[in-house]
Amino acid sequence: MSHETTEGPVSPHTPFRPPTAAPPLASGRPVVATRSNIPPPSAISVVKAARTPAQKPESPPQPVVVQTPPAVPKPGRHSATLDRDQILAATAECLDDVGLDKTTIRSIAKRLNCAVGSIYRYYTDKHELLEAVCEQRFVAVVDAIQAGQTPDQTARLYHAAASARPEQYRLMFWLASVGRSPEQPAQLPGVIATVVAGWARQLDDPNAARCRWALLHGQLMLDADLDCDLLPDLPSHASAPED
């Protein structure tokens, strides 16, 4: 290590000055400290920032979506393929089980395991539905007349259909007359009028057809047996009384 020498005597109060040269390394080469070797503070900050991994901004929490499973329809005997025949069959069962007063659109829908609106797609109200149920039994009589069966045969079909559900037979005529004012003429249920018209064509006599139906209807309302001749030969004119 070399010391800087000065000329003249050394004063004991002369301040100590450090050597201008740094001590050499092991290789013997002196280490020269220059201002360019010391990075500025701003550069140190940049280096630290570059070495620090960048933090990703926190993303807002995503809403939790709960997937609701699709509703499983309740099993029902008619819920998949509802039609008029099934509605009429359920209504007839309801009439037999609980009677007219408790037979409602809601009770019928419960039997069918369907919505009330499903029935209203086919029938406007309970009145129309009950009419269809009561008249359905006599569609076979109309078909038999159109197929060419004789009035004797179709009259017995008529009696069998009415006797199977006598309360529905009476209900059918009540439904045809309810809401009718006294000034309006009495009307037969639609299917019964069709039967009488068919007999009128076969007999070629509308009056004879009405008389035959009146006899048959009277027997049914009186709960009489069908043992007599329902189709007697009606005389064309009344015979004169003998003297």
Side-chain angles (χ1 to χ4, degrees), residues 100-151:
L100 177 62
D101 293 338
K102 295 183 180 180
T103 299
T104 62
I105 298 294
R106 188 172 299 278
S107 63
I108 296 168
K110 186 176 181 180
R111 285 176 177 263
L112 293 171
N113 195 18
C114 69
V116 174
S118 301
I119 299 178
Y120 284 116
R121 289 167 49 193
Y122 297 93
Y123 300 97
T124 57
D125 53 20
K126 177 182 173 179
H127 188 280
E128 182 182 357
L129 176 56
L130 293 177
E131 280 185 333
V133 170
C134 296
E135 294 186 9
Q136 184 189 30
R137 298 185 177 277
F138 297 89
V139 174
V141 182
V142 175
D143 294 340
I145 293 174
Q146 294 177 350
Q149 293 190 23
T150 65

